[in-house]
Amino acid sequence: MAELHRCYRGPRCAQREPDPDTPHITRGAPINPAEGLCDACTRHLRQAITDLPRDYLDLDTALAGTRDGLRQLVSGTRELPVPISLSIETVQAALLHEAQCWAESVADVLNVDWDTQAARDSRPGAVLERAARLLENSISVLLALRGAVHTGWILDEWTTFDRDGLDGAVILLDLSHRVRAITGQLRLVHTLPEPCPRCDRRALQRADGDDVIRCGSCGQRCTWEEYEQSCTLLGARGESVA
């Protein structure tokens, strides 16, 4: 029997499962394509991309806290401890750099204008909002990228290297987890009572302060106004049936 293809995230897959031969080792969920993410990891990737601007803002808030006197130190090595503010700034820089890299590569495939120099001269929030919109609507293009040429700081020098979109997906998911670890909080998420208009499951969720509602099952998105209209229609149908 041929070995099933599995989610590229491997043991970090959202639907990972134990290896039957070595139960203490986990592996990614089965998938159809030779390379890709399972449905759950794809949904998590979409959410991580959507959260890019707000993650950066949350890190700004955490950074302000360290500058207000919370001079905590983090150290996992024998070397001198590093101020936590430096760690936050590093993750912020990584969020901005990775978002720009992958947005530029996806824009190139879609023949969409992405001015890299203008992005570098723009406010981080504006760049991340535009990158998030582009990537969120082009998940399949991102995951299909092969040999995207990027530049980055590796081994104390600025280097050009090739990366695949699946690598980008893993990086963006990892950065999302790092933001949660630094901020030490999960955003309050409200589960709404009405079913999703697409999959009919009661999985509609709205993050606190967010005007967009998302289905945790199928990924469907709608505005609060569209949700209220849907509720009105469902209420009208119920009254007519009664």
Side-chain angles (χ1 to χ4, degrees):
M1 182 177 178
E3 174 67 18
L4 294 172
H5 302 308
R6 294 192 173 275
C7 179
Y8 188 76
R9 295 190 74 200
R12 300 191 67 184
C13 170
Q15 294 182 313
R16 58 190 176 274
E17 58 186 33
D19 187 311
D21 298 324
T22 51
H24 64 283
I25 296 177
T26 55
R27 55 187 183 173
I31 58 175
N32 289 324
E35 287 190 304
L37 299 182
C38 67
D39 290 343
C41 285
T42 301
R43 290 196 299 271
H44 292 176
L45 172 62
R46 186 182 300 277
Q47 188 63 55
I49 290 172
T50 300
D51 288 343
L52 280 169
R54 189 163 178 176
D55 280 346
Y56 194 93
L57 182 61
D58 283 352
L59 290 174
D60 254 351
T61 301
L63 187 61
T66 66
R67 287 174 175 167
D68 284 340
L70 299 180
R71 306 306 299 176
Q72 301 175 10
L73 300 176
V74 292
S75 178
T77 69
R78 295 173 180 269
E79 299 181 6
L80 292 175
V82 179
I84 196 170
S85 59
L86 179 59
S87 175
I88 294 172
E89 289 172 340
T90 300
V91 177
Q92 278 190 310
L95 280 175
L96 190 58
H97 176 72
E98 295 297 338
Q100 289 186 88
C101 281
W102 298 109
E104 182 179 14
S105 294
V106 168
D108 187 53
V109 172
L110 297 176
N111 199 26
V112 173
D113 180 52
W114 179 275
D115 191 331
T116 302
Q117 187 56 51
R120 288 173 180 166
D121 295 337
S122 301
R123 292 182 299 103
V127 175
L128 288 169
E129 285 177 2
R130 187 182 175 207
R133 284 197 301 270
L134 175 61
L135 293 173
E136 186 182 3
N137 293 320
S138 312
I139 295 289
S140 60
V141 177
L142 171 63
L143 295 177
L145 283 174
R146 297 293 181 269
V149 180
H150 294 159
T151 56
W153 193 257
I154 298 179
L155 299 177
D156 296 328
E157 63 178 356
W158 197 248
T159 307
T160 300
F161 48 89
D162 293 351
R163 298 193 290 180
D164 293 345
L166 286 168
D167 299 320
V170 171
I171 290 169
L172 292 173
L173 284 164
D174 181 60
L175 285 171
S176 178
H177 290 308
R178 290 176 67 184
V179 171
R180 301 294 170 271
I182 289 173
T183 58
Q185 61 184 5
L186 292 174
R187 297 183 191 121
L188 178 62
V189 177
H190 305 277
T191 300
L192 304 178
E194 299 300 334
C196 171
R198 175 192 283 178
C199 68
D200 204 34
R201 295 186 180 180
R202 297 185 183 276
L204 292 177
Q205 298 176 332
R206 181 179 67 85
D208 195 37
D210 198 343
D211 292 330
V212 178
I213 296 169
R214 299 174 181 82
C215 176
S217 177
C218 70
Q220 172 77 349
R221 302 179 64 206
C222 65
T223 63
W224 181 257
E225 182 179 354
E226 290 169 338
Y227 170 73
E228 288 185 320
Q229 290 174 354
S230 177
C231 291
T232 302
L233 289 174
L234 287 173
R237 289 175 187 170
E239 291 175 1
S240 62
V241 171

